[in-house]
């Protein structure tokens, strides 16, 4: 449900959690990002930072400079001035990331889990089967066709949580239980309908079936897109995966190691929610969320 | 300069309030686990309360001073010695070139803090010297001290003679023990629990699990029922009663992972999909930072006004008012 009025919740003596609703719906995330954007552009006294997520905005504040009630009123005014979600326009970069699907590295991680922890169905076959797709080729097509919306970044430094922007290309998978103890750096995986990229080798619970050779975390900040922080993807960015094979993966990996790799980022784009909603409604009317549609439709851009 | 002869279990550089402003990218504040002792120790050494200093955990390091300076050691009493002689805690102690600082074990609490006059001088990463060891962010080249690590110190703003003998008054020193009363505010998800669950959480004496570190403190105790909201929700929230659509966490959140409450500490995750029915006050989190595995913890729900009063007490403690000579 999308709440008529947002809920303002105590989250300790330094944080306020604002809930726009309680469902997984991109409209709620657009509201959270729109509000985060206005607070960043025109700061509210006492606010240190905000953390947008799918349906919420966490507001970190300095209690010596404001209090929960003053902040709640100020945020409520901002929410009102945002107008309807359709009026929201967000700066949104488009980041192209090469992705080697059905790659040997994530397969090795899954094999290791199957041997040591639990005998599960291997990927990417499991993800394809669970979504009624014919084969791995079709899975690659369905996963690499839409743009992905970075709804939130976190849990681990630089880890993006992304949703497909095309209702015709949405996959859904269960998470691992128990989680893996390791996942190769750059692994692309899914939990629920959310796609994530592992910035570094960490434990993880998502189904994994691809890997990007391009760092999304650069601790040394040597590549240009990392001049402000070691994190590549920010909430409100869009990601487009470009399928590559293992040979291309190695080539790009070598360019990265040599420091000669150039990121492919469109930095001037805006994302207009009204235009997107129009597209989304049309997309929902089209047949099939994946299999059939994947064959018929070519890549679609929005905004 | 400070030279590490032995590094200790995980001795790291921290400052306060740490790495602030990167929570929306998943980068935690880090900083000291016990922000009260850390700041008081700095005050004793004549520094600003948030200046970069050392956090010593469980097993202390062995440090040789490569210059004359003043050192203060506070937090858990790990029986600090200089050249084998016990030194008083919470006090600026003059040391000479070649002197060696060593530690024993704490009977109560588990983290000591070392402040040298002027503070430790290492490069700032994203505005802070604090260390997030698990992700190699900040600190000494991304990590904790190693044998052979040498740290520079910044010049002290006070003459060393003035730093020496500065002492934190007894009344301002935190009380240590094996059981802790930790203040929490209700929320954000107290309405996901039943009244009985809330009563159980605040009346039970919880045991600190050995699976506790700078990212989170697990506590052991009884199971919860969870309320209507937790059992009647859309599938995208997840199947377990404790699951919710991923949202931004607070430092100090009491994060219900299934039936295990985990209190998120200064190196903790910025978001996730488990409910937080309670949040530990920022001015009370230091107690968990000192709690050892096996210690007991009780939680006390306070009002907003009580939280404000505790904050005022905390701020008054971390000031020149607490210093005597």
């Amino acid at each position: 449900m999308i709440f008529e009025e947002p809920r303002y919740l105590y989250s300790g003596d330094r944080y306020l959690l604002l809930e726009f609703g309680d469902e997984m719906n991109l409209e709620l995330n657009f509201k959270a990002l729109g509000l985060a954007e206005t607070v960043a552009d025109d700061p509210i006294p006492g606010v240190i930072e905000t953390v947008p997520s799918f349906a919420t905005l966490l507001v970190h504040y300095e209690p010596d400079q404001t209090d929960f009630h003053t902040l709640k009123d100020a945020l409520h005014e901002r929410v009102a001035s945002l107008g309807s979600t359709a009026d929201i326009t967000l700066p949104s970069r488009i980041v192209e990331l090469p992705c080697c699907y059905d790659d040997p590295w994530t397969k090795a991680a899954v094999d290791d889990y199957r041997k040591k922890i639990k005998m599960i169905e291997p990927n990417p076959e499991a993800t394809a089967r669970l979504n009624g797709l014919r084969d791995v080729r079709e899975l690659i097509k369905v996963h690499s066709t839409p743009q992905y919306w970075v709804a939130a970044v976190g849990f681990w430094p630089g880890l993006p949580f992304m949703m497909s922007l095309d209702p015709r290309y949405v996959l859904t998978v269960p998470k691992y239980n128990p989680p893996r103890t390791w996942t190769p750096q750059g692994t692309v995986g899914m939990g629920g309908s959310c796609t994530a990229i592992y910035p570094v080798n960490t434990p993880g619970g998502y189904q994994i079936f691809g890997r990007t050779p391009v760092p999304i975390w650069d601790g040394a900040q040597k590549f240009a897109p990392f001049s402000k922080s070691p994190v590549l993807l920010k909430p409100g960015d869009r990601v487009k995966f470009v399928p590559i094979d293992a040979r291309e993966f190695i080539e790009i990996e070598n360019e990265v190691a040599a420091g000669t790799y150039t990121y492919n980022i469109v930095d001037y784009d805006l994302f207009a929610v009204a235009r997107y909603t129009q597209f989304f409604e049309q997309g929902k009317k089209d047949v099939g969320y994946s299999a059939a549609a994947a064959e018929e439709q070519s890549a679609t851009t929005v905004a | 300069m400070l030279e590490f002869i032995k590094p200790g279990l995980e001795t790291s550089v921290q400052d306060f309030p740490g790495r602030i402003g990167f929570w929306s990218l998943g980068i935690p504040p880090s900083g000291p686990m016990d922000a009260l002792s850390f700041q008081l120790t700095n005050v004793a050494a004549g520094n600003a309360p948030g200046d970069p200093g050392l956090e010593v955990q469980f097993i202390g390091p062995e440090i040789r001073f490569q210059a004359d300076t003043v050192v203060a050691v506070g937090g858990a009493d790990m029986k600090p010695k200089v050249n084998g002689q016990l030194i008083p805690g919470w006090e600026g102690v003059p040391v000479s070139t070649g002197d060696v600082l060593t530690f024993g074990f704490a009977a109560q609490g588990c983290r000591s803090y070392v402040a040298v006059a002027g503070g430790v001088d290492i490069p700032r990463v994203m505005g802070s010297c604090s260390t997030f060891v698990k992700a190699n962010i900040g600190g000494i080249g991304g990590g904790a001290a190693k044998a052979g690590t040498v740290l520079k110190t910044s010049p002290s703003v006070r003459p060393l003679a003035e730093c020496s003998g500065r002492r934190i008054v007894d009344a301002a020193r935190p009380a240590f023990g094996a059981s802790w009363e930790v203040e929490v505010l209700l929320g954000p998800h107290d309405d996901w629990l039943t009244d009985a669950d809330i009563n159980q959480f605040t009346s039970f004496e919880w045991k600190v699990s050995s699976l506790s570190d700078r990212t989170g403190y697990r506590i052991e105790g009884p199971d919860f029922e969870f309320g209507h909201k937790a059992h009647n929700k859309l599938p995208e929230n997840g199947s377990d009663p404790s699951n919710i659509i991923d949202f931004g966490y607070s430092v100090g959140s009491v994060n219900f992972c299934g039936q295990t409450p985990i209190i998120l500490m200064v190196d903790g995750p910025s978001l996730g999909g488990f409910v937080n029915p309670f949040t530990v006050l920022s001015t009370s989190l230091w107690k968990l930072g000192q709690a050892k595995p096996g210690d007991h913890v009780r939680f006390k729900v306070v009002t907003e006004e009580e939280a404000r009063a505790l904050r005022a007490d905390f701020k008054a403690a971390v000031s020149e008012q607490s210093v005597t000579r």
Side-chain angles (χ1 to χ4, degrees):
Chain A
M1 168 166 106
I2 299 176
F3 302 148
E4 192 92 0
E5 296 284 341
R7 298 179 72 212
Y8 299 85
L9 307 173
Y10 287 90
S11 192
D13 60 335
R14 302 181 62 90
Y15 304 84
L16 178 156
L17 183 67
L18 189 157
E19 282 185 349
F20 284 107
D22 60 1
E23 62 182 35
M24 203 77 143
N25 176 329
L26 274 175
E27 189 180 339
L28 294 173
N29 187 246
F30 296 148
K31 280 177 184 286
L33 287 172
L35 182 57
E37 188 70 20
T38 74
V39 177
D41 285 349
D42 181 11
I44 295 173
V47 170
I48 296 168
E49 59 188 334
T50 65
V51 182
S53 192
F54 295 100
T56 57
L57 186 72
L58 181 75
V59 182
H60 178 196
Y61 64 92
E62 175 51 62
D64 292 336
Q65 290 169 23
T66 188
D67 61 32
F68 180 89
H69 306 277
T70 310
L71 183 55
K72 177 185 163 182
D73 292 345
L75 287 166
H76 203 68
E77 264 177 43
R78 294 296 179 92
V79 171
S81 71
L82 274 181
S84 80
T85 317
D87 299 332
I88 297 175
T89 299
L90 296 161
S92 171
R93 304 183 304 171
I94 301 169
V95 180
E96 262 188 27
L97 291 176
C99 179
C100 181
Y101 289 96
D102 195 14
D103 66 289
W105 305 281
T106 57
K107 275 181 168 319
V110 176
D111 282 347
D112 190 54
Y113 181 89
R114 280 158 50 88
K115 253 181 257 157
K116 292 180 186 156
I117 299 176
K118 197 172 176 182
M119 189 47 80
I120 51 161
E121 188 181 355
N123 254 324
E125 292 78 5
T127 300
R129 185 186 61 78
L130 287 164
N131 287 278
L133 303 175
R134 274 197 299 274
D135 54 20
V136 171
R137 239 186 87 242
E138 199 174 43
L139 170 72
I140 295 172
K141 170 124 198 197
V142 171
H143 192 265
S144 65
T145 294
Q147 288 184 342
Y148 287 87
W149 179 254
V150 180
V153 175
F155 179 71
W156 186 266
L159 194 157
F161 289 85
M162 305 182 288
M163 306 298 290
S164 164
L165 278 170
D166 191 331
R168 295 164 301 183
Y169 301 91
V170 175
L171 302 163
T172 306
V173 292
K175 294 178 189 172
Y176 276 41
N177 184 22
R180 278 180 312 279
T181 53
W182 64 282
T183 316
Q185 173 183 326
T187 290
V188 176
M190 292 193 71
S193 296
C194 188
T195 288
I197 307 169
Y198 289 75
V200 293
N201 185 335
T202 55
Y206 277 20
Q207 303 287 335
I208 56 176
F209 47 74
R211 192 179 177 212
T212 177
V214 173
I216 62 164
W217 168 263
D218 176 11
Q221 295 181 251
K222 65 178 178 188
F223 289 99
F226 298 89
S227 59
K228 289 195 184 111
S229 85
V231 172
L232 179 66
L233 298 169
K234 297 170 183 61
D237 282 342
R238 280 167 287 167
V239 168
K240 181 76 177 66
F241 291 107
V242 180
I244 55 169
D245 60 27
R247 188 184 51 80
E248 292 168 294
F249 184 101
I250 303 283
E251 279 172 19
I252 297 171
E253 201 176 36
N254 289 339
E255 286 179 39
V256 168
T260 55
Y261 180 77
T262 309
Y263 281 79
N264 195 356
I265 299 175
V266 176
D267 212 346
Y268 51 76
D269 229 27
L270 289 175
F271 184 86
V273 173
R275 291 283 307 274
Y276 171 70
T277 311
Q278 225 175 9
F279 160 81
F280 184 92
E281 292 305 322
Q282 184 55 44
K284 275 204 299 197
K285 284 184 210 135
D286 291 347
V287 254
Y289 270 61
S290 50
E295 291 300 310
E296 291 162 19
Q297 307 289 339
S298 56
T300 311
T301 47
V302 292
Chain B
M1 298 221 283
L2 308 175
E3 179 196 350
F4 283 80
I5 302 165
K6 289 180 188 165
L9 183 63
E10 186 185 286
T11 305
S12 61
V13 176
Q14 305 293 344
D15 58 11
F16 185 84
R19 193 164 287 108
I20 301 298
F22 300 91
W23 203 221
S24 68
L25 301 178
I27 299 172
S30 302
M33 287 283 279
D34 170 357
L36 178 58
S37 295
F38 176 86
Q39 295 185 83
L40 284 172
T41 307
N42 260 326
V43 170
N47 297 338
D51 280 351
L54 300 175
E55 178 172 274
V56 171
Q57 308 190 91
F58 296 94
I59 300 167
E62 203 170 309
I63 296 170
R64 182 184 291 128
F65 296 96
Q66 295 190 345
D68 295 357
T69 185
V70 169
V71 65
V73 181
D77 181 7
M78 293 173 67
K79 301 164 191 81
K81 291 177 180 173
V82 170
N83 302 336
Q85 296 292 310
L86 275 175
I87 58 165
W90 310 103
E91 182 174 331
V93 175
V95 287
S96 308
T97 306
D99 284 354
V100 175
L101 174 67
T102 54
F103 293 84
F105 294 96
Q108 295 175 329
C110 58
R111 291 183 172 89
S112 283
Y113 293 94
V114 179
V116 285
V120 171
D121 179 18
I122 59 165
R124 285 171 198 277
V125 174
M126 288 173 267
S128 167
C129 299
S130 285
T131 318
F132 179 22
V133 172
K134 283 194 178 175
N136 304 120
I137 300 175
I140 307 162
K146 301 184 185 87
T149 295
V150 175
L151 294 178
K152 288 191 288 187
T153 55
S154 301
S156 173
V157 287
R158 296 169 201 271
L160 287 182
E162 259 179 48
C163 300
S164 175
R166 283 169 63 87
R167 198 156 55 79
I168 301 299
V169 296
D170 288 351
R173 297 182 189 186
F176 287 75
S179 62
W180 306 84
E181 187 181 65
V182 174
E183 293 83 1
V184 297
L185 277 173
L186 285 175
H189 303 123
D190 45 309
D191 60 345
W192 285 56
L193 298 183
T194 62
D195 290 346
D197 284 338
I198 291 177
N199 282 335
Q200 173 174 280
F201 181 75
T202 52
S203 59
F204 191 77
E205 191 165 62
W206 295 85
K207 195 173 134 194
V208 175
S209 153
S210 58
L211 296 170
S212 296
D213 61 18
R214 283 180 49 91
T215 60
Y217 261 56
R218 283 168 196 253
I219 51 173
E220 294 165 359
D223 284 358
F224 293 87
E225 302 173 340
F226 289 95
H228 179 80
K229 242 180 141 160
H231 294 289
N232 299 276
K233 59 190 174 190
L234 292 169
E236 57 255 45
N237 284 281
S239 52
D240 191 88
S242 68
N243 285 148
I244 187 171
I245 295 169
D246 289 46
F247 71 101
Y249 289 162
S250 305
V251 175
S253 290
V254 182
N255 194 231
F256 278 51
C257 289
Q259 291 291 355
T260 306
I262 304 178
I263 297 100
L264 304 179
M265 304 301 286
V266 290
D267 285 351
S270 59
L271 56 85
F274 292 106
V275 290
N276 297 336
F278 312 93
T279 311
V280 176
L281 298 189
S282 59
T283 50
S284 302
L285 198 61
W286 70 268
K287 298 177 191 176
L288 286 162
Q290 288 293 358
K292 290 196 304 289
D295 279 5
H296 287 92
V297 180
R298 273 183 194 278
F299 294 92
K300 182 186 173 191
V301 173
V302 297
T303 63
E304 205 181 345
E305 289 66 38
E306 288 168 318
R308 204 171 290 134
L310 287 166
R311 179 166 188 79
D313 292 348
F314 188 99
K315 284 186 65 184
V318 181
S319 73
E320 282 299 309
Q321 285 175 43
S322 299
V323 179
T324 181
R325 281 199 70 171

